[in-house]
PDB file of all heavy atoms in Angstrom:
ATOM      1  N   PRO A1205      18.310  15.347 -19.981  1.00 88.00           N
ATOM      2  CA  PRO A1205      19.415  14.485 -19.523  1.00 88.00           C
ATOM      3  C   PRO A1205      20.506  15.245 -18.780  1.00 88.00           C
ATOM      4  O   PRO A1205      21.209  14.670 -17.948  1.00 88.00           O
ATOM      5  CB  PRO A1205      19.950  13.859 -20.817  1.00 88.00           C
ATOM      6  CG  PRO A1205      19.447  14.732 -21.924  1.00 88.00           C
ATOM      7  CD  PRO A1205      18.198  15.396 -21.444  1.00 88.00           C
ATOM      8  N   THR A1206      20.627  16.539 -19.038  1.00 90.00           N
ATOM      9  CA  THR A1206      21.668  17.340 -18.366  1.00 90.00           C
ATOM     10  C   THR A1206      21.458  17.351 -16.851  1.00 90.00           C
ATOM     11  O   THR A1206      22.426  17.350 -16.078  1.00 90.00           O
ATOM     12  CB  THR A1206      21.650  18.785 -18.897  1.00 90.00           C
ATOM     13  OG1 THR A1206      21.750  18.739 -20.315  1.00 90.00           O
ATOM     14  CG2 THR A1206      22.797  19.599 -18.335  1.00 90.00           C
ATOM     15  N   ALA A1207      20.186  17.375 -16.428  1.00 90.00           N
ATOM     16  CA  ALA A1207      19.903  17.403 -14.994  1.00 90.00           C
ATOM     17  C   ALA A1207      20.079  16.036 -14.356  1.00 90.00           C
ATOM     18  O   ALA A1207      20.321  15.929 -13.148  1.00 90.00           O
ATOM     19  CB  ALA A1207      18.474  17.888 -14.761  1.00 90.00           C
ATOM     20  N   ILE A1208      19.964  15.005 -15.162  1.00 90.00           N
ATOM     21  CA  ILE A1208      20.046  13.651 -14.628  1.00 90.00           C
ATOM     22  C   ILE A1208      21.495  13.199 -14.468  1.00 90.00           C
ATOM     23  O   ILE A1208      21.822  12.430 -13.565  1.00 90.00           O
ATOM     24  CB  ILE A1208      19.251  12.686 -15.530  1.00 90.00           C
ATOM     25  CG1 ILE A1208      17.753  12.968 -15.361  1.00 90.00           C
ATOM     26  CG2 ILE A1208      19.557  11.222 -15.203  1.00 90.00           C
ATOM     27  CD1 ILE A1208      16.878  12.225 -16.314  1.00 90.00           C
ATOM     28  N   GLU A1209      22.370  13.706 -15.322  1.00 89.00           N
ATOM     29  CA  GLU A1209      23.744  13.204 -15.335  1.00 89.00           C
ATOM     30  C   GLU A1209      24.455  13.315 -13.978  1.00 89.00           C
ATOM     31  O   GLU A1209      25.110  12.357 -13.545  1.00 89.00           O
ATOM     32  CB  GLU A1209      24.553  13.910 -16.438  1.00 89.00           C
ATOM     33  CG  GLU A1209      25.904  13.273 -16.710  1.00 89.00           C
ATOM     34  CD  GLU A1209      25.877  11.744 -16.783  1.00 89.00           C
ATOM     35  OE1 GLU A1209      24.948  11.197 -17.401  1.00 89.00           O
ATOM     36  OE2 GLU A1209      26.772  11.104 -16.189  1.00 89.00           O
ATOM     37  N   PRO A1210      24.341  14.454 -13.255  1.00 90.00           N
ATOM     38  CA  PRO A1210      25.044  14.524 -11.960  1.00 90.00           C
ATOM     39  C   PRO A1210      24.583  13.470 -10.957  1.00 90.00           C
ATOM     40  O   PRO A1210      25.415  12.903 -10.234  1.00 90.00           O
ATOM     41  CB  PRO A1210      24.714  15.936 -11.453  1.00 90.00           C
ATOM     42  CG  PRO A1210      24.381  16.706 -12.683  1.00 90.00           C
ATOM     43  CD  PRO A1210      23.729  15.742 -13.623  1.00 90.00           C
ATOM     44  N   VAL A1211      23.274  13.186 -10.901  1.00 91.00           N
ATOM     45  CA  VAL A1211      22.821  12.173  -9.934  1.00 91.00           C
ATOM     46  C   VAL A1211      23.226  10.780 -10.390  1.00 91.00           C
ATOM     47  O   VAL A1211      23.576   9.921  -9.581  1.00 91.00           O
ATOM     48  CB  VAL A1211      21.292  12.236  -9.673  1.00 91.00           C
ATOM     49  CG1 VAL A1211      20.949  13.462  -8.859  1.00 91.00           C
ATOM     50  CG2 VAL A1211      20.481  12.200 -10.946  1.00 91.00           C
ATOM     51  N   ARG A1212      23.201  10.573 -11.699  1.00 89.00           N
ATOM     52  CA  ARG A1212      23.636   9.270 -12.218  1.00 89.00           C
ATOM     53  C   ARG A1212      25.125   9.073 -11.926  1.00 89.00           C
ATOM     54  O   ARG A1212      25.552   7.992 -11.507  1.00 89.00           O
ATOM     55  CB  ARG A1212      23.371   9.211 -13.723  1.00 89.00           C
ATOM     56  CG  ARG A1212      23.615   7.855 -14.305  1.00 89.00           C
ATOM     57  CD  ARG A1212      22.855   7.615 -15.593  1.00 89.00           C
ATOM     58  NE  ARG A1212      22.962   6.225 -15.937  1.00 89.00           N
ATOM     59  CZ  ARG A1212      23.917   5.722 -16.734  1.00 89.00           C
ATOM     60  NH1 ARG A1212      24.801   6.519 -17.269  1.00 89.00           N
ATOM     61  NH2 ARG A1212      23.960   4.432 -16.982  1.00 89.00           N
ATOM     62  N   SER A1213      25.885  10.116 -12.127  1.00 88.00           N
ATOM     63  CA  SER A1213      27.311  10.047 -11.840  1.00 88.00           C
ATOM     64  C   SER A1213      27.552   9.801 -10.348  1.00 88.00           C
ATOM     65  O   SER A1213      28.387   8.976  -9.972  1.00 88.00           O
ATOM     66  CB  SER A1213      27.964  11.356 -12.288  1.00 88.00           C
ATOM     67  OG  SER A1213      29.298  11.390 -11.902  1.00 88.00           O
ATOM     68  N   PHE A1214      26.804  10.500  -9.510  1.00 90.00           N
ATOM     69  CA  PHE A1214      26.921  10.306  -8.061  1.00 90.00           C
ATOM     70  C   PHE A1214      26.672   8.847  -7.697  1.00 90.00           C
ATOM     71  O   PHE A1214      27.375   8.261  -6.873  1.00 90.00           O
ATOM     72  CB  PHE A1214      25.932  11.206  -7.325  1.00 90.00           C
ATOM     73  CG  PHE A1214      25.801  10.884  -5.863  1.00 90.00           C
ATOM     74  CD1 PHE A1214      26.757  11.295  -4.955  1.00 90.00           C
ATOM     75  CD2 PHE A1214      24.718  10.150  -5.395  1.00 90.00           C
ATOM     76  CE1 PHE A1214      26.652  10.986  -3.603  1.00 90.00           C
ATOM     77  CE2 PHE A1214      24.601   9.830  -4.052  1.00 90.00           C
ATOM     78  CZ  PHE A1214      25.567  10.249  -3.154  1.00 90.00           C
ATOM     79  N   LEU A1215      25.662   8.256  -8.323  1.00 89.00           N
ATOM     80  CA  LEU A1215      25.305   6.877  -7.988  1.00 89.00           C
ATOM     81  C   LEU A1215      26.312   5.865  -8.518  1.00 89.00           C
ATOM     82  O   LEU A1215      26.252   4.691  -8.159  1.00 89.00           O
ATOM     83  CB  LEU A1215      23.897   6.557  -8.496  1.00 89.00           C
ATOM     84  CG  LEU A1215      22.783   7.277  -7.725  1.00 89.00           C
ATOM     85  CD1 LEU A1215      21.438   7.062  -8.400  1.00 89.00           C
ATOM     86  CD2 LEU A1215      22.726   6.797  -6.276  1.00 89.00           C
ATOM     87  N   GLY A1216      27.224   6.330  -9.388  1.00 83.00           N
ATOM     88  CA  GLY A1216      28.326   5.453  -9.755  1.00 83.00           C
ATOM     89  C   GLY A1216      29.165   5.176  -8.519  1.00 83.00           C
ATOM     90  O   GLY A1216      29.665   4.085  -8.316  1.00 83.00           O
ATOM     91  N   LEU A1217      29.277   6.206  -7.673  1.00 67.00           N
ATOM     92  CA  LEU A1217      29.949   6.111  -6.375  1.00 67.00           C
ATOM     93  C   LEU A1217      31.342   5.503  -6.459  1.00 67.00           C
ATOM     94  O   LEU A1217      31.784   4.824  -5.553  1.00 67.00           O
ATOM     95  CB  LEU A1217      29.095   5.335  -5.367  1.00 67.00           C
ATOM     96  CG  LEU A1217      27.867   6.104  -4.853  1.00 67.00           C
ATOM     97  CD1 LEU A1217      26.985   5.196  -4.016  1.00 67.00           C
ATOM     98  CD2 LEU A1217      28.283   7.305  -4.019  1.00 67.00           C
ATOM     99  N   ALA A1218      31.979   5.748  -7.607  1.00 53.00           N
ATOM    100  CA  ALA A1218      33.387   5.375  -7.670  1.00 53.00           C
ATOM    101  C   ALA A1218      34.150   6.372  -6.811  1.00 53.00           C
ATOM    102  O   ALA A1218      33.732   7.533  -6.679  1.00 53.00           O
ATOM    103  CB  ALA A1218      33.873   5.444  -9.114  1.00 53.00           C
ATOM    104  N   PRO A1219      35.243   5.965  -6.224  1.00 45.00           N
ATOM    105  CA  PRO A1219      35.999   6.909  -5.399  1.00 45.00           C
ATOM    106  C   PRO A1219      36.369   8.150  -6.199  1.00 45.00           C
ATOM    107  O   PRO A1219      36.744   8.056  -7.367  1.00 45.00           O
ATOM    108  CB  PRO A1219      37.253   6.112  -5.020  1.00 45.00           C
ATOM    109  CG  PRO A1219      36.839   4.680  -5.121  1.00 45.00           C
ATOM    110  CD  PRO A1219      35.835   4.629  -6.240  1.00 45.00           C
ATOM    111  N   ALA A1220      36.235   9.316  -5.568  1.00 44.00           N
ATOM    112  CA  ALA A1220      36.595  10.567  -6.227  1.00 44.00           C
ATOM    113  C   ALA A1220      38.101  10.540  -6.507  1.00 44.00           C
ATOM    114  O   ALA A1220      38.890  10.183  -5.634  1.00 44.00           O
ATOM    115  CB  ALA A1220      36.244  11.745  -5.328  1.00 44.00           C
ATOM    116  N   PRO A1221      38.519  10.901  -7.722  1.00 44.00           N
ATOM    117  CA  PRO A1221      39.931  10.772  -8.103  1.00 44.00           C
ATOM    118  C   PRO A1221      40.872  11.487  -7.150  1.00 44.00           C
ATOM    119  O   PRO A1221      41.926  10.981  -6.831  1.00 44.00           O
ATOM    120  CB  PRO A1221      39.983  11.414  -9.494  1.00 44.00           C
ATOM    121  CG  PRO A1221      38.581  11.367 -10.000  1.00 44.00           C
ATOM    122  CD  PRO A1221      37.702  11.441  -8.793  1.00 44.00           C
ATOM    123  N   ALA A1222      40.488  12.679  -6.672  1.00 39.00           N
ATOM    124  CA  ALA A1222      41.419  13.487  -5.875  1.00 39.00           C
ATOM    125  C   ALA A1222      41.347  13.174  -4.386  1.00 39.00           C
ATOM    126  O   ALA A1222      42.091  13.740  -3.612  1.00 39.00           O
ATOM    127  CB  ALA A1222      41.139  14.966  -6.095  1.00 39.00           C
ATOM    128  N   ALA A1223      40.442  12.269  -3.993  1.00 40.00           N
ATOM    129  CA  ALA A1223      40.248  12.052  -2.562  1.00 40.00           C
ATOM    130  C   ALA A1223      41.411  11.282  -1.959  1.00 40.00           C
ATOM    131  O   ALA A1223      41.758  10.208  -2.448  1.00 40.00           O
ATOM    132  CB  ALA A1223      38.955  11.278  -2.330  1.00 40.00           C
ATOM    133  N   PRO A1224      42.028  11.832  -0.910  1.00 40.00           N
ATOM    134  CA  PRO A1224      43.079  11.075  -0.228  1.00 40.00           C
ATOM    135  C   PRO A1224      42.474   9.898   0.539  1.00 40.00           C
ATOM    136  O   PRO A1224      41.303   9.955   0.918  1.00 40.00           O
ATOM    137  CB  PRO A1224      43.685  12.097   0.732  1.00 40.00           C
ATOM    138  CG  PRO A1224      42.611  13.108   0.960  1.00 40.00           C
ATOM    139  CD  PRO A1224      41.770  13.129  -0.289  1.00 40.00           C
ATOM    140  N   ARG A1225      43.238   8.833   0.719  1.00 38.00           N
ATOM    141  CA  ARG A1225      42.754   7.653   1.431  1.00 38.00           C
ATOM    142  C   ARG A1225      43.428   7.512   2.780  1.00 38.00           C
ATOM    143  O   ARG A1225      44.551   7.947   2.962  1.00 38.00           O
ATOM    144  CB  ARG A1225      43.036   6.385   0.618  1.00 38.00           C
ATOM    145  CG  ARG A1225      42.458   6.402  -0.763  1.00 38.00           C
ATOM    146  CD  ARG A1225      40.984   6.808  -0.692  1.00 38.00           C
ATOM    147  NE  ARG A1225      40.353   6.614  -1.968  1.00 38.00           N
ATOM    148  CZ  ARG A1225      39.925   5.431  -2.411  1.00 38.00           C
ATOM    149  NH1 ARG A1225      40.045   4.363  -1.671  1.00 38.00           N
ATOM    150  NH2 ARG A1225      39.364   5.338  -3.591  1.00 38.00           N
TER     151      ARG A1225
END
Side-chain angles (χ1 to χ4, degrees):
Chain A
T1206 306
I1208 289 172
E1209 191 44 43
V1211 288
R1212 188 157 190 268
S1213 174
F1214 169 78
L1215 290 172
L1217 287 172
R1225 304 310 190 80

